[in-house]
Amino acid sequence: MASRHGFKIALIGAGSAAWAIGLIKDLALIPSLSGSTVVLMDIDEDRLALVSRFAKRYVSEVKGNLNIVTTTDRREAIRDADFVVNSTLAKGHGHYERMREVSEKYGYYRGINSVEWNMVSDYHTIWGYYQFKLALDIANDVVDYAPNAWLLNVSNPVFELTTLISRETKARVIGLCDGYYAYRDLLRVLGLEEGKAEVEVIGVNHDDWLTRLKYNGEDAYHLIDEWISTKSSQYFEKWREEQSNPFDVHVSPVAVDMYRMYGLWPIGDTVRSGTWKYHWDLKTKQYWYGPLGGPDSEIGWAMYLTWHKIEFNELKRALENEAKPLTDYIPPVRSEGEPVTMVIEAIVEDSGKVIEVNVPNQDAIPGIPSDVAVEMPARVDAKGVHRLSFSNLPKAWGKVLKYAIMPRVIRGEWAIEAFLGGGRDTLFNWLIIDPRTKSSDQVNQVIDAILKIPGNEEMAKHFS
Amino acid sequence: MASRHGFKIALIGAGSAAWAIGLIKDLALIPSLSGSTVVLMDIDEDRLALVSRFAKRYVSEVKGNLNIVTTTDRREAIRDADFVVNSTLAKGHGHYERMREVSEKYGYYRGINSVEWNMVSDYHTIWGYYQFKLALDIANDVVDYAPNAWLLNVSNPVFELTTLISRETKARVIGLCDGYYAYRDLLRVLGLEEGKAEVEVIGVNHDDWLTRLKYNGEDAYHLIDEWISTKSSQYFEKWREEQSNPFDVHVSPVAVDMYRMYGLWPIGDTVRSGTWKYHWDLKTKQYWYGPLGGPDSEIGWAMYLTWHKIEFNELKRALENEAKPLTDYIPPVRSEGEPVTMVIEAIVEDSGKVIEVNVPNQDAIPGIPSDVAVEMPARVDAKGVHRLSFSNLPKAWGKVLKYAIMPRVIRGEWAIEAFLGGGRDTLFNWLIIDPRTKSSDQVNQVIDAILKIPGNEEMAKHFS
């Protein structure tokens, strides 16, 4: 891929304002993208206008050479694009919060979507009918209107959507999630410098594990054990006292417990997953995730949803103040570990850089089916993703595979089957094995109630 | 394999009196086994003596040419055998009934061993530590003392034990279960003659499904649908009224429901599996399995355990009455579908007969891992088991695989990991996803209580 006039990069769901602006900032700072066009697409015109104004002013401030255009026409955005980034959330957060609320009335704390190994509150799988449909529609548009484009999917559930799109379409999809970079929290706590560390993290999205930790070329996994036995208590005491961010859970009692239970250190949002052992109720969550109960508690999730609003209002205020440069709000420095720009850069520059991606396994990781999207480091160049080999995994991988990955893969298959096949049974079978379920009646009642929520008419038909 | 002097067939666990005597009857009726020696081995000398007396008299009555010997020395029995049949139940039924009773005190109806897709009451997996150990010891003895023997494992759990033995030893193991032959109940109800029917049943033991039904060479699956819509109500009414055998569940409301839910007709003990939908309590079981609640209810299981005693007493009484021939009690006719004698006959006669066996999948059935023991038809001759190909499975197989087989395979992997790896976490992880579990405390309490049962000392150490 080469272009004298730059590339066309379509951001589908660009109304995710803070995220889109952060991404455009990074794109503007990549010299090889000079002259490129960034098409912002969303169905929310107000948000689109705001992001567009912000982006144009920002690019001009940093003297970037990016052409910013907007459209509410998805196919127009996708037509002949080189990169299509999907960051959509069909129906918005509120819709899923209503389903959560209804679920809780029937005894499903945190909603029927929260199950073992998928406790992340906006990782919409079984109730993600509209989200799956939108992602698949976008992928089909890419096939029709930009068949050579790279479809970079950052929309959750990255695991299910990447698997679904790769099975059902010919789109060149790569799933991306920045959760992987949470390994840096571990390095920081262990007092290790990133430049001297070598890490390998594999699994599936939100269920991936540190399979290698080297420092100065030597195996350094034992440093985790030493830190746990000598320093963790003191660390956690301070951490509890000072916790102000519910997402500060990467080095936490739950991470230590998972490491003890499964034999490998959990990375990123893996700590938010696990079984109900960590999630029974707010008290349980506070024990494992600190006083805010982690991101997926009543407290933590309310904070998260509020932040979205705060961020949005801040962007608006920043725009209103024309005297103060936008770079005062968002410094013109590339974000570390922003995966979309890393992948675009690696493809455009044909660099062969190793990046953590989500792609169908194709036998790269032993024990995971071939057509399931795994998260793993891979070499990325102009031809796309080149899988590495993972034949020499630590012994504990077997336990992780059996207790953490296989149950998660099954839930993924069920969510995909529910979306593709429909029918009430796919919901029933999802719930009948749930520890919150006490009877078949309870299952039937919660299904009825969720399908009756306004906005779920099409979904109700699909699952009838 | 050929022998002028017959073969050595070792029955390990020959104290299972009714079963062993039935088997010896069939062996005595196979001409190609004439001159063979059957070694009865058990640690229960009284039972062994009874079976031996019965077998000798029976063989003499039918003028069979089988040499019956007994031993309590397992290795002696196995040494240089051509066939080793494992039908042992370590520690006997009573031990597991005690674990069931303790489980129920902590809210685990039917015991912690009964979980989705394994509700069969003597299919001891997670609490089968001693059973797994005995089966593996026997397999190791076979490797050491009769390396060329065929190890025919009929001991439950056939799925886990066949998988375990094939992974951990070089014994030539074949798992066998007569549950497959329950397809005949379906033919009978549909009014079909066996000779004109062609069936294919695949899956894993106790979780296998009718993937083909032909009659006179034509697809006949639609006959099931027709029977359900036109005749099943009347059939079930009569069936409920007349039910005297809790095992009469192969054609039952639960079979129909599973067929509707998963798209293929469940065969044999598959109807006893499924999720808690069919098993919440006695009332639920009676709804699905008839007034006796199926074999795995308070009623059905008590009947089953009692039958064992009745059968044993009948054998004793038959022996005491020297005037009446034993063939009056057990007619000298070969049992239809007795799998052990069918496999021995096919190997000895190098017949290449197709028999339903349990062996590692080795990619025969798509979607099931290679090293997991599947149940499927295979050609059996002097060289052993030759897998058929199952590339052209019905569309519904995908649903069966995702909702019925994969969850069962995971439980199998967990049971094997618990046995091989030990550690309390393997029990904790088993229970933390159970719908009967309401809290982590409940899990810890039931684990403690089960490990404290007299006789479980070694198991307690293993899981500490």
Side-chain angles (χ1 to χ4, degrees):
Chain A
M1 182 183 297
S3 164
R4 275 183 233 164
H5 310 288
F7 302 90
K8 178 175 175 182
I9 302 167
L11 306 191
I12 312 299
S16 308
W19 182 83
I21 286 166
L23 186 69
I24 292 162
K25 179 257 295 174
D26 285 328
L27 292 172
L29 298 171
I30 298 176
S32 53
L33 296 181
S34 178
S36 294
T37 298
V38 177
V39 186
L40 308 177
M41 184 269 151
D42 206 288
I43 54 170
D44 184 329
E45 297 191 35
D46 292 344
R47 284 179 161 260
L48 201 54
L50 177 114
V51 174
S52 168
R53 276 180 61 207
F54 199 110
K56 283 177 176 167
R57 207 175 118 191
Y58 194 92
V59 168
S60 143
E61 280 187 24
V62 300
K63 301 193 171 39
N65 183 16
L66 280 187
N67 181 29
I68 306 289
V69 297
T70 66
T71 178
T72 55
D73 181 336
R74 193 173 74 208
R75 292 178 177 173
E76 205 43 57
I78 289 173
R79 191 185 306 278
D80 299 328
D82 298 292
F83 299 96
V84 177
V85 184
N86 175 29
S87 66
T88 54
L89 175 58
K91 291 193 170 258
H93 282 293
H95 185 69
Y96 303 95
E97 294 312 310
R98 274 190 292 280
M99 291 201 278
R100 194 180 327 275
E101 203 180 316
V102 166
S103 301
E104 293 196 334
K105 276 189 197 158
Y106 292 88
Y108 295 93
Y109 176 56
R110 303 300 299 156
I112 63 163
N113 187 78
S114 292
V115 294
E116 68 285 347
W117 298 106
N118 183 28
M119 300 289 182
V120 169
S121 303
D122 60 352
Y123 213 77
H124 308 303
T125 65
I126 193 65
W127 65 19
Y129 170 75
Y130 297 105
Q131 178 71 351
F132 281 46
K133 194 179 168 211
L134 178 57
L136 195 55
D137 285 350
I138 291 168
N140 281 321
D141 282 354
V142 169
V143 172
D144 290 343
Y145 297 92
N148 296 317
W150 294 99
L151 171 55
L152 308 181
N153 181 76
V154 301
S155 277
N156 279 337
V158 165
F159 173 53
E160 277 82 359
L161 295 185
T162 309
T163 302
L164 174 72
I165 292 169
S166 64
R167 286 182 188 172
E168 300 294 320
T169 79
K170 291 192 167 166
R172 305 204 284 180
V173 64
I174 305 172
L176 295 171
C177 176
D178 61 2
Y180 155 77
Y181 296 92
Y183 74 80
R184 288 171 176 156
D185 288 354
L186 177 64
L187 295 185
R188 179 181 47 76
V189 170
L190 296 179
L192 305 181
E193 289 174 45
E194 171 141 22
K196 296 176 183 169
E198 183 192 339
V199 302
E200 178 186 88
V201 176
I202 69 169
V204 300
N205 184 238
H206 288 195
D207 189 357
D208 48 4
W209 304 79
L210 186 67
T211 45
R212 192 189 303 150
L213 175 62
K214 287 190 171 185
Y215 199 62
N216 287 323
E218 306 271 308
D219 182 59
Y221 228 106
H222 62 95
L223 297 179
I224 303 179
D225 303 299
E226 286 157 31
W227 178 83
I228 291 173
S229 58
T230 61
K231 296 184 183 161
S232 63
S233 314
Q234 206 185 340
Y235 178 85
F236 289 144
E237 201 176 318
K238 196 158 169 263
W239 167 82
R240 276 185 200 283
E241 265 173 38
E242 299 178 355
Q243 193 181 49
S244 62
N245 180 350
F247 287 82
D248 176 14
V249 292
H250 298 128
V251 180
S252 59
V254 76
V256 171
D257 193 70
M258 282 187 171
Y259 173 43
R260 285 193 179 129
M261 179 100 78
Y262 306 108
L264 293 176
W265 185 265
I267 294 294
D269 284 335
T270 309
V271 296
R272 294 166 67 184
S273 294
T275 66
W276 286 99
K277 177 179 187 187
Y278 312 120
H279 297 281
W280 290 114
D281 48 28
L282 181 58
K283 212 179 126 192
T284 309
K285 285 176 185 267
Q286 286 171 322
Y287 176 82
W288 293 108
Y289 296 94
L292 303 174
D296 305 298
S297 72
E298 296 86 315
I299 303 170
W301 197 243
M303 287 175 75
Y304 172 72
L305 292 175
T306 311
W307 285 347
H308 269 279
K309 296 174 197 165
I310 296 172
E311 270 181 341
F312 188 71
N313 291 333
E314 274 176 1
L315 292 174
K316 277 206 281 194
R317 270 198 301 276
L319 267 182
E320 282 157 17
N321 185 350
E322 301 202 355
K324 198 174 169 187
L326 294 177
T327 47
D328 276 16
Y329 297 94
I330 300 176
V333 180
R334 266 193 76 182
S335 318
E336 271 193 274
E338 196 298 303
V340 171
T341 46
M342 283 171 71
V343 165
I344 292 178
E345 191 179 25
I347 290 175
V348 163
E349 299 181 5
D350 194 18
S351 73
K353 187 170 180 178
V354 172
I355 304 173
E356 192 82 1
V357 296
N358 292 264
V359 286
N361 188 30
Q362 293 183 8
D363 302 324
I365 305 179
I368 303 183
S370 184
D371 63 346
V372 161
V374 294
E375 188 160 289
M376 61 182 176
R379 209 166 286 284
V380 181
D381 63 19
K383 287 186 181 150
V385 169
H386 306 276
R387 289 159 183 78
L388 309 179
S389 154
F390 303 97
S391 49
N392 202 13
L393 293 172
K395 191 161 173 285
W397 174 253
K399 213 167 173 188
V400 161
L401 191 65
K402 283 173 191 165
Y403 288 99
I405 308 272
M406 282 177 72
R408 181 63 186 89
V409 168
I410 281 200
R411 286 290 190 179
E413 293 291 359
W414 291 2
I416 291 169
E417 174 71 24
F419 170 69
L420 290 177
R424 191 180 175 93
D425 289 346
T426 57
L427 300 181
F428 187 92
N429 277 311
W430 180 270
L431 284 164
I432 193 68
I433 61 152
D434 190 300
R436 295 164 300 178
T437 292
K438 315 276 188 291
S439 71
S440 299
D441 283 349
Q442 182 192 3
V443 172
N444 284 316
Q445 284 162 10
V446 77
I447 292 174
D448 287 340
I450 283 176
L451 295 180
K452 269 181 202 145
I453 292 173
N456 273 350
E457 292 77 9
E458 185 185 316
M459 183 169 151
K461 209 173 151 190
H462 180 73
F463 287 111
S464 70
Chain B
M1 183 183 297
S3 164
R4 275 184 236 166
H5 309 289
F7 302 90
K8 180 175 177 183
I9 302 167
L11 306 192
I12 311 301
S16 308
W19 183 82
I21 286 167
L23 187 69
I24 292 162
K25 179 259 294 173
D26 285 328
L27 293 172
L29 297 172
I30 298 176
S32 54
L33 295 181
S34 177
S36 294
T37 297
V38 178
V39 187
L40 308 176
M41 184 270 151
D42 207 289
I43 53 170
D44 184 329
E45 297 190 36
D46 292 344
R47 285 180 159 261
L48 202 53
L50 177 112
V51 174
S52 168
R53 276 180 60 208
F54 199 110
K56 283 178 178 167
R57 209 175 115 191
Y58 194 91
V59 168
S60 145
E61 280 186 24
V62 300
K63 300 193 170 36
N65 184 15
L66 281 188
N67 182 31
I68 307 287
V69 297
T70 65
T71 177
T72 54
D73 182 335
R74 191 172 75 208
R75 291 176 179 174
E76 206 41 60
I78 290 172
R79 190 186 307 278
D80 300 328
D82 298 293
F83 299 95
V84 177
V85 184
N86 175 30
S87 67
T88 54
L89 175 58
K91 290 191 172 259
H93 281 295
H95 185 69
Y96 304 94
E97 294 311 310
R98 274 191 291 281
M99 290 200 279
R100 194 181 326 274
E101 201 180 317
V102 166
S103 301
E104 293 197 334
K105 276 190 197 158
Y106 292 88
Y108 293 93
Y109 176 55
R110 302 301 298 158
I112 63 164
N113 188 78
S114 292
V115 294
E116 67 287 346
W117 298 105
N118 183 28
M119 298 291 181
V120 169
S121 303
D122 61 351
Y123 213 79
H124 307 303
T125 63
I126 193 66
W127 65 20
Y129 170 76
Y130 298 106
Q131 178 71 349
F132 281 45
K133 194 179 169 211
L134 178 56
L136 196 55
D137 285 351
I138 291 169
N140 281 320
D141 282 354
V142 170
V143 173
D144 291 344
Y145 296 93
N148 296 319
W150 294 99
L151 172 55
L152 307 182
N153 182 76
V154 300
S155 277
N156 280 336
V158 166
F159 172 54
E160 276 82 0
L161 295 185
T162 308
T163 302
L164 174 72
I165 291 169
S166 65
R167 286 182 188 172
E168 299 295 319
T169 79
K170 291 193 169 167
R172 304 204 284 179
V173 63
I174 304 173
L176 295 171
C177 175
D178 61 3
Y180 155 76
Y181 295 94
Y183 74 80
R184 289 171 176 158
D185 289 353
L186 177 65
L187 295 186
R188 179 180 47 76
V189 170
L190 296 180
L192 304 181
E193 288 174 46
E194 172 142 20
K196 297 178 183 169
E198 183 192 338
V199 301
E200 178 187 87
V201 177
I202 68 170
V204 302
N205 184 239
H206 287 196
D207 189 355
D208 46 6
W209 304 78
L210 185 67
T211 45
R212 192 190 302 151
L213 175 63
K214 287 191 173 185
Y215 199 62
N216 288 322
E218 306 271 308
D219 182 58
Y221 228 105
H222 63 95
L223 298 179
I224 303 179
D225 303 300
E226 285 157 29
W227 177 84
I228 291 173
S229 59
T230 62
K231 297 185 183 160
S232 63
S233 313
Q234 207 185 341
Y235 177 86
F236 289 145
E237 204 177 315
K238 194 155 171 266
W239 167 82
R240 275 185 201 282
E241 266 173 37
E242 297 180 355
Q243 193 181 49
S244 62
N245 180 349
F247 287 82
D248 176 14
V249 292
H250 298 130
V251 180
S252 59
V254 76
V256 171
D257 193 71
M258 281 187 171
Y259 173 44
R260 285 192 179 129
M261 180 101 77
Y262 305 109
L264 294 176
W265 185 266
I267 294 293
D269 284 335
T270 309
V271 295
R272 294 167 66 185
S273 294
T275 65
W276 286 98
K277 177 180 186 187
Y278 312 120
H279 298 280
W280 290 115
D281 48 28
L282 181 58
K283 212 179 127 193
T284 309
K285 285 176 186 267
Q286 287 171 322
Y287 175 82
W288 292 109
Y289 296 94
L292 303 174
D296 305 298
S297 71
E298 297 86 317
I299 303 170
W301 197 243
M303 287 176 75
Y304 172 73
L305 293 176
T306 311
W307 285 347
H308 269 279
K309 296 175 197 163
I310 295 173
E311 271 182 340
F312 188 71
N313 291 335
E314 275 175 2
L315 292 173
K316 276 207 282 194
R317 269 199 302 276
L319 267 181
E320 282 158 17
N321 185 349
E322 300 202 356
K324 196 174 168 186
L326 294 179
T327 47
D328 278 14
Y329 298 94
I330 300 177
V333 180
R334 265 192 80 181
S335 318
E336 273 193 272
E338 195 300 300
V340 170
T341 46
M342 282 171 70
V343 165
I344 291 178
E345 192 179 25
I347 290 175
V348 163
E349 299 181 4
D350 195 17
S351 71
K353 187 170 181 178
V354 172
I355 303 172
E356 192 82 2
V357 296
N358 292 263
V359 287
N361 187 32
Q362 294 183 7
D363 302 323
I365 305 179
I368 303 182
S370 185
D371 62 347
V372 162
V374 294
E375 187 161 290
M376 61 182 176
R379 208 166 286 283
V380 181
D381 63 19
K383 287 186 181 151
V385 169
H386 307 276
R387 288 159 184 79
L388 308 179
S389 154
F390 303 98
S391 49
N392 202 13
L393 292 171
K395 191 163 172 282
W397 173 253
K399 214 166 172 189
V400 161
L401 190 65
K402 283 173 190 165
Y403 287 99
I405 308 271
M406 282 177 73
R408 180 64 187 88
V409 167
I410 281 199
R411 285 291 189 179
E413 293 291 358
W414 290 2
I416 290 169
E417 174 71 26
F419 170 69
L420 289 177
R424 189 180 176 95
D425 289 346
T426 58
L427 301 181
F428 187 92
N429 277 311
W430 180 270
L431 284 164
I432 193 68
I433 62 152
D434 191 301
R436 297 164 298 178
T437 293
K438 313 278 188 292
S439 71
S440 299
D441 282 350
Q442 182 191 2
V443 172
N444 284 315
Q445 284 162 10
V446 77
I447 292 173
D448 287 342
I450 283 176
L451 296 179
K452 268 181 202 146
I453 292 173
N456 272 350
E457 293 77 9
E458 185 185 315
M459 184 170 150
K461 209 173 152 192
H462 180 73
F463 288 112
S464 69

